[in-house]
Amino acid sequence: MSARVLLDPTAERSAATRPRARRPATLDGATIGLLDIRKARGDVFLDRLAELLTARGFRVERFAKPTFTKPAPIDLRREISRTCDVVIEALAD
Amino acid sequence: MTDAALPVPDGLVAVVKQECATCRTIAPVLVDLATRPDAPPLTVYTQDDPMFPPGVAGVVDDTALETSFALDLDTVPTLLRVEAGRECDRIVGWRRDRWEDFTGVDNLGPDLPDYSPGCGSRTQEPAIAQARAVAQIVPQLRSRRVELGAEEDELDALFDRGWSDGLPLVPPTPERVARMLTGTDRAPNDIVAVVPPDLVECTVEKVAVNAVMAGCLPEYLPVVLTAVEAACTDTFNMHGLLATTWFAGPVVVVHGPIARAIGMNSGVNALGQGHRANATIGRALQLVVRNVGGGRPGEVDRATLGQPGKYTFCFAEDEIASPWEPMHVERGLSPGSSAVTLFAGEGPRGVLDQLSRTPESLTRTFAACLRTTTHPKIAFVFDAMLVISPEHARVYREAGWSKQRFRDELDALLMLDGAEMVRGASGIMEGMPEAFATVPLPKFRDGGLLIAHAGGRAGLFSAIIGGWASGAGGSEPITREVIL
């Protein structure tokens, strides 16, 4: 075999572009999830967002990752997608 | 041996090579057996010289060793009895009485010595055995073949495809990867780990491809495989370690007999450059994370500054000269086992103490320096590793301090006054929350300080490798046995 044939060292995944979820045309009546990733002071930011959203008549659901250092557990992601129409994930650092 | 019929005729089969003194000695016996009417039919195969042994008609040329491999030979001469394509029995070397029993022919080689041991079959020569193994592995490789363009430079092509950590790579040809795979008994398609951040199942073959690129030798592969397995556990949390803005990356410490067997450096410049095993094992792990896991700087790797140890950071513990039990034994493995410890570490920093001659004084130096890791006013959150050099370790050996005694004394010195640690103390806003103002604070959590022994014989210097967020919310050091 030629020295100019190499073995691919990667996971051989074609560009993993997944289509985004369709954006809602309106937020009327939407339930908005607020996801705290557990970075310091993210909760301060989200508390204020919750205040503002609630004042505008939105239903707000709060969620938090167990730790910012690891991806959100699958169950948490599923729960958010089941109970919310949109989600806001906040990072404050 | 398989159930398939052997590729040799029935009767007696002898395999010889001219280079073997015993084969030359018994050449007259083979001539005798080939020509005596009372002897069973004999076929002679020769591994090197097709004209050997002279005087025997119909010698079969096995210089390609196909028949010798099929017969799974260790030794020449080997004499087999074959019936209906099946081997009934074999003897090796020369012993007159056994040859006479085996062939049913009396008075063989009356002028020969009674006994002469054989030589190694050519199939056992390392280069030949490896070439054979490589030829068998290449067709099993499943990785996508990447053909380089006619005008492409072989080394630049690897940079262009995004496979490099910034330094040149060894091109992973199928032959090189197959040779790498001779370093393990594991099948190429065995799954080693699920590699973050893309959470991709990684085979032994993919680890081998990246180990080739890193510059590893086949005998390093078991260590690389163990390091990849350990890194890709939830406990070690390679994902978070990659993603963090902090400096840390995986530090690989190799323990036990395998470190010496593969020529790892635990002595002069142990944490530095210049040793192939140290340099390439740590690099191979990083390349697996980059290429298989998809973890690249500026993408999921968000390090603010990073550090040069993220190219490679791997060293061996010097267990022979250490006054203390090695790290893997302290962490629960048996003495004499081979293991790797993965630690989420920054670059090393030096600790100088050229004047302490008592363990009490030297321990205070270590405590004073360890206190400053991450920040002098942060406790309990980040781990650290202390690499004690031989000249510093000698102070403890001569005083008769055990490792546990050293740990106990160090822990006491690292129990810090909360009032000095809280936010605002010493005019520094950074620090522990106010709630800790009235309690003593241990600098490290229980198990948060690892201790290794390594380094050159001269120099009253040791090293501290600062860690990263510890425990379940960050990374837990992990020690795993290397299975050969």
Side-chain angles (χ1 to χ4, degrees):
Chain A
M1 202 165 290
S2 157
R4 301 190 57 86
V5 173
L6 307 179
L7 296 183
D8 189 334
T10 74
E12 299 178 23
R13 307 207 302 182
S14 50
T17 50
R18 276 184 289 181
R20 290 183 164 193
R22 203 157 43 82
R23 269 39 191 161
T26 168
L27 288 177
D28 286 350
T31 299
I32 300 177
L34 298 181
L35 175 60
D36 181 352
I37 74 162
R38 293 282 199 214
K39 266 279 187 182
R41 294 177 56 79
D43 55 342
V44 176
F45 180 48
L46 288 171
D47 287 348
R48 181 68 179 138
L49 271 185
E51 258 176 56
L52 294 169
L53 291 168
T54 307
R56 286 166 171 73
F58 295 107
R59 195 162 59 246
V60 170
E61 296 281 347
R62 300 292 294 266
F63 303 92
K65 283 171 48 172
T67 165
F68 66 84
T69 66
K70 296 183 183 180
I74 288 171
D75 286 349
L76 178 61
R77 283 181 262 166
R78 185 161 299 143
E79 190 189 348
I80 293 171
S81 67
R82 193 172 50 77
T83 56
C84 301
D85 301 297
V86 296
V87 65
I88 298 172
E89 188 173 342
L91 169 69
D93 212 354
Chain B
M1 305 293 276
T2 65
D3 288 338
L6 293 172
V8 290
D10 286 355
L12 294 174
V13 170
V15 185
V16 295
K17 67 178 184 184
Q18 192 276 336
E19 190 190 25
C20 163
T22 299
C23 294
R24 293 196 300 272
T25 302
I26 65 155
V29 175
L30 296 173
V31 174
D32 194 15
L33 281 171
T35 51
R36 271 166 66 161
D38 56 333
L42 170 71
T43 311
V44 179
Y45 289 78
T46 177
Q47 291 186 335
D48 50 2
D49 179 358
M51 306 301 289
F52 176 81
V56 176
V59 170
V60 182
D61 180 347
D62 192 38
T63 50
L65 301 174
E66 287 300 325
T67 303
S68 294
F69 274 113
L71 295 173
D72 198 17
L73 296 185
D74 294 325
T75 306
V76 287
T78 291
L79 186 63
L80 303 98
R81 188 164 48 244
V82 179
E83 289 173 14
R86 298 281 184 277
E87 175 182 337
C88 302
D89 201 1
R90 72 169 68 185
I91 55 176
V92 299
W94 162 254
R95 238 180 72 179
R96 179 183 299 102
D97 54 346
R98 293 201 62 198
W99 275 63
E100 288 175 349
D101 282 350
F102 197 86
T103 59
V105 176
D106 291 332
N107 202 26
L108 284 175
D111 303 328
L112 268 51
D114 292 339
Y115 169 73
S116 179
C119 300
S121 163
R122 284 192 65 218
T123 52
Q124 300 297 316
E125 292 176 23
I128 289 173
Q130 190 175 59
R132 172 87 177 181
V134 165
Q136 287 177 336
I137 291 170
V138 165
Q140 301 175 43
L141 300 176
R142 293 286 167 266
S143 295
R144 183 159 60 194
R145 263 63 173 175
V146 177
E147 195 159 351
L148 302 190
E151 303 301 319
E152 267 191 303
D153 178 86
E154 192 180 59
L155 297 183
D156 280 341
L158 278 64
F159 285 101
D160 294 343
R161 283 164 178 73
W163 299 342
S164 169
D165 52 10
L167 293 171
L169 300 163
V170 176
T173 60
E175 291 75 12
R176 287 192 180 116
V177 173
R179 206 177 309 132
M180 182 63 62
L181 285 163
T182 64
T184 179
D185 290 334
R186 296 182 65 172
N189 62 354
D190 255 14
I191 302 295
V192 179
V194 176
V195 185
D198 290 349
L199 300 179
V200 175
E201 285 190 343
C202 177
T203 60
V204 171
E205 177 180 334
K206 283 293 181 191
V207 175
V209 175
N210 284 280
V212 166
M213 295 201 305
C216 290
L217 289 172
E219 54 263 40
Y220 308 167
L221 186 59
V223 178
V224 177
L225 290 168
T226 310
V228 170
E229 279 175 3
C232 299
T233 53
D234 189 62
T235 310
F236 186 69
N237 189 13
M238 188 64 227
H239 178 99
L241 180 58
L242 180 75
T244 180
T245 42
W246 188 245
F247 302 82
V251 179
V252 183
V253 190
V254 184
H255 319 278
I258 196 165
R260 297 182 288 278
I262 66 176
M264 289 204 64
N265 182 23
S266 62
V268 171
N269 202 38
L271 308 187
Q273 84 289 10
H275 275 78
R276 185 171 182 178
N278 295 37
T280 62
I281 291 170
R283 189 187 188 200
L285 170 60
Q286 287 281 14
L287 289 176
V288 168
V289 172
R290 177 188 181 87
N291 289 314
V292 182
R296 285 175 285 266
E299 297 175 28
V300 174
D301 184 341
R302 307 303 302 176
T304 308
L305 286 163
Q307 48 108 353
K310 290 175 77 174
Y311 284 102
T312 178
F313 198 162
C314 177
F315 67 100
E317 202 176 2
D318 173 9
E319 293 161 32
I320 304 290
S322 174
W324 295 329
E325 68 273 25
M327 185 192 293
H328 69 302
V329 174
E330 197 185 7
R331 294 173 58 77
L333 295 187
S334 57
S337 62
S338 291
V340 298
T341 295
L342 269 278
F343 175 71
E346 308 168 12
R349 71 184 71 179
V351 175
L352 173 150
D353 187 331
Q354 298 183 303
L355 299 181
S356 289
R357 295 293 180 268
T358 66
E360 290 82 3
S361 172
L362 185 55
T363 304
R364 285 189 196 103
T365 286
F366 286 136
C369 294
L370 281 163
R371 178 181 173 162
T372 67
T373 56
T374 318
H375 191 286
K377 291 177 59 193
I378 296 287
F380 211 70
V381 188
F382 281 48
D383 292 342
M385 185 187 296
L386 177 62
V387 184
I388 297 194
S389 68
E391 283 213 290
H392 276 163
R394 189 183 62 205
V395 172
Y396 296 101
R397 182 206 307 282
E398 289 176 353
W401 277 32
S402 67
K403 199 172 190 180
Q404 191 56 52
R405 169 89 187 271
F406 172 62
R407 280 190 174 284
D408 291 344
E409 303 277 350
L410 195 58
D411 284 350
L413 292 165
L414 285 169
M415 192 60 78
L416 306 171
D417 179 0
E420 296 177 8
M421 303 287 285
V422 293
R423 294 166 187 170
S426 307
I428 299 172
M429 288 311 301
E430 185 56 85
M432 300 299 286
E434 187 58 33
F436 292 105
T438 56
V439 294
L441 276 173
K443 175 69 181 180
F444 300 109
R445 69 190 175 113
D446 198 17
L449 178 66
L450 279 65
I451 299 173
H453 177 266
R457 296 285 170 265
L460 284 152
F461 313 126
S462 290
I464 292 169
I465 303 168
W468 180 52
S470 60
S475 176
E476 189 77 50
I478 184 165
T479 300
R480 189 170 281 220
E481 188 165 3
V482 177
I483 307 296
L484 293 175

